[in-house]
Amino acid sequence: MMRSLYSGVSGLRNHQTKMDVIGNNISNVNTVGFKSSQVLFKDVLYQTTQSATGATPTSGGTNAKQIGLGMTVATITASHKGGSAQSTNNPYDLMINGSSFFVVNRGGTNYFTKIGAFKTDDAGNLTTGGGELVMGWQVDPDDPTSIKRDTVSALRPEAEENKTAPPELTSKMYMHGNIAAIDPKLQTADGVVTTVSIYDNLGYTYSVKFKITQDANDPSLYNLAIDSIKDANNVDILQNGYSATLADTTIKFDPDGGKFIGMGGVAGVKTTALTITPTDPTKGNVFQDHTAPDQTDWIDSIELDCSPLTMYSTKGGESDVETMKGGTDTTGAGRKVGTLTDVEIDTNGMIYGVYDNGISKLLGQIAVAKFVNPAGLEAIGNSLYKETKASGEFDGVGMDIVNAGETMTQGVIEMSNVDLSQEFTEMIVTQRGFQANSRIITVSDTLIEELVNLKR
């Protein structure tokens, strides 16, 4: 009877443990990234009253006679199956489509989490809601378009140096439209005027005004000249410390067909070069860019392509010429200084800054950790886990999520994987198990009472 009492006690105690786990699961049904746990029982020691015997020539063998001494908890295992996805449209909310974990750091120690509800702090660091730093890899200083994958470090997508994007010097322009040979403006000193806005290498804007006049002797030849280059304050810099020259100043058309022939009287030459240089030593040489490592990529002048022009007849005999910054291949338009307006994170965890000058710049990559046995991780609260010998060790470098065969989704977070129908079913089974064990104690107590009452 004493054995049955303690067996009943062990049943009550361990069913209570299972109920505690079920209660925790249900209480976290709406906790972002929560992983439910499951309790499994096992029996414990046995008291052997008779050992097993083998067969003899005159008798058969007998089995051992054992009396069980109750039960205990075998395992409490977290289920790392994925939870449902919830859209948030927050650019820093991420969901891993797989079993990998985000790597976060607190106090110099790396931890792991499934919760991708991130934010930035006042220093521009990417952090969790609890302030842990999100870890990943930085941009390769020798190649700003690639990632240097070494020991993980804190990602800082909104650090001061990432809040702006550098300007770019305009290096290409092109003229398009039609020059009407009978346009009377072409025979005047003012000519046909076309203007274009350009950027210097500091990001300042200037308005370049060209004029086109017809050659006095050859109606298929047109003279191209720079009329003015004005800054944002409408000051002509050609009168204020700068000079400008064109390498070729004539545009030749086919007098019979009206198609473009070439620049400077040379057939097939499509472009001329606009060179702007300072005449005042106090002025900056802002229309040249020598920052490229390869000298062949230096910009000393602005390429002007006139090949899209034609010389056809038009209604009313008016010319219609427009000059655009950038080449016909859409490159070389230049840019102003950019301000960070948005952040995009692709399925590989690459973080890109989007700037209002049209630039998209790589800012880093989020690393992930993948464990052989994720159920072996130890939960430490705040939805964080730490590695154990059972889970496998984190190497400090992490893994590219592509190599893990998984992806990330931006603007989505992973919800709890708790299955309420399963939990309530387990609750019913646990409740009945608890009740049955309580009856063991009640009946054992009645038997003891009868034994005591044998003598009155």
Side-chain angles (χ1 to χ4, degrees), residues 2 120 204 291 358:
M2 294 300 293
T120 54
Y204 292 106
T291 59

Side-chain angles (χ1 to χ4, degrees), residues 80 99 101 371-378 385 391:
H80 284 273
S99 60
F101 292 79
F371 296 93
V372 176
N373 176 28
L377 292 169
E378 181 181 341
Y385 297 88
S391 66

Side-chain angles (χ1 to χ4, degrees), residues 111-408:
Y111 298 99
F112 312 96
T113 185
K114 294 293 286 186
I115 298 181
F118 302 139
K119 62 182 183 65
T120 54
D121 62 15
D122 56 351
N125 296 302
L126 188 62
T127 68
T128 67
E132 291 82 16
L133 299 171
V134 180
M135 307 297 279
W137 302 300
Q138 308 301 325
V139 177
D140 189 337
D142 298 323
D143 182 4
T145 63
S146 65
I147 294 293
K148 187 175 182 180
R149 294 181 176 87
D150 52 13
T151 303
V152 292
S153 56
L155 294 169
R156 303 182 65 209
E158 293 192 19
E160 196 64 35
E161 61 269 21
N162 292 332
K163 289 184 178 179
T164 59
E168 293 180 8
L169 171 66
T170 298
S171 60
K172 293 181 181 180
M173 299 183 292
Y174 71 94
M175 285 185 181
H176 70 102
N178 186 69
I179 296 175
I182 62 173
D183 188 343
K185 295 178 184 177
L186 294 168
Q187 282 79 43
T188 66
D190 292 334
V192 171
V193 173
T194 175
T195 60
V196 61
S197 177
I198 65 171
Y199 296 103
D200 67 11
N201 60 18
L202 300 179
Y204 292 106
T205 59
Y206 300 83
S207 179
V208 181
K209 182 179 180 181
F210 295 99
K211 67 176 181 180
I212 302 172
T213 58
Q214 191 176 49
D215 187 82
N217 301 315
D218 185 351
S220 67
L221 189 67
Y222 293 86
N223 300 311
L224 179 65
I226 306 163
D227 187 73
S228 64
I229 302 177
K230 294 183 178 181
D231 62 18
N233 294 321
N234 206 33
V235 175
D236 187 354
I237 65 172
L238 298 182
Q239 309 298 322
N240 189 30
Y242 287 90
S243 66
T245 59
L246 285 169
D248 293 315
T249 59
T250 57
I251 307 171
K252 179 70 174 177
F253 293 95
D254 179 0
D256 299 324
K259 292 184 178 181
F260 175 87
I261 291 179
M263 299 292 300
V266 181
V269 177
K270 297 181 178 181
T271 63
T272 184
L274 170 61
T275 304
I276 307 171
T277 55
T279 57
D280 184 342
T282 63
K283 302 292 185 179
N285 200 11
V286 293
F287 295 96
Q288 295 185 0
D289 186 357
H290 293 172
T291 59
D294 189 343
Q295 189 170 344
T296 59
D297 294 329
W298 287 3
I299 301 173
D300 292 312
S301 59
I302 303 173
E303 179 185 276
L304 174 59
D305 184 355
C306 296
S307 63
L309 289 171
T310 58
M311 191 187 68
Y312 299 139
S313 172
T314 59
K315 185 178 181 180
E318 293 184 358
S319 300
D320 181 17
V321 178
E322 185 177 13
T323 305
M324 309 295 294
K325 63 175 176 285
T328 54
D329 59 357
T330 71
T331 64
R335 304 177 192 276
K336 65 179 182 178
V337 177
T339 301
L340 183 67
T341 58
D342 196 9
V343 172
E344 294 181 352
I345 303 174
D346 68 12
T347 57
N348 300 341
M350 296 280 198
I351 305 173
Y352 294 92
V354 180
Y355 298 84
D356 61 4
N357 65 350
I359 287 179
S360 179
K361 184 169 68 173
L362 182 62
L363 305 179
Q365 183 179 9
I366 298 172
V368 298
K370 195 172 181 70
F371 296 93
V372 176
N373 176 28
L377 292 169
E378 181 181 341
I380 61 171
N382 295 322
S383 299
L384 298 178
Y385 297 88
K386 69 177 182 179
E387 60 186 322
T388 66
K389 291 182 178 180
S391 66
E393 294 184 353
F394 176 63
D395 62 4
V397 176
M399 181 180 290
D400 188 328
I401 196 167
V402 174
N403 297 332
E406 300 169 358
T407 59
M408 289 185 195

Side-chain angles (χ1 to χ4, degrees), residues 27-104:
S27 68
N28 285 283
V29 67
N30 289 318
T31 300
V32 176
F34 177 78
K35 301 302 178 185
S36 62
S37 296
Q38 180 183 20
V39 178
L40 296 177
F41 295 140
K42 67 178 179 179
D43 54 2
V44 289
L45 296 175
Y46 284 83
Q47 181 179 356
T48 303
T49 60
Q50 179 180 313
S51 299
T53 62
T56 68
T58 58
S59 64
T62 61
N63 296 327
K65 295 178 180 178
Q66 294 180 293
I67 302 172
L69 301 178
M71 50 83 76
T72 188
V73 173
T75 60
I76 302 177
T77 307
S79 169
H80 284 273
K81 69 176 182 180
S84 60
Q86 178 174 317
S87 177
T88 65
N89 295 319
N90 183 339
Y92 287 122
D93 282 348
L94 298 171
M95 176 179 174
I96 293 177
N97 302 301
S99 60
S100 297
F101 292 79
F102 296 106
V103 183
V104 298

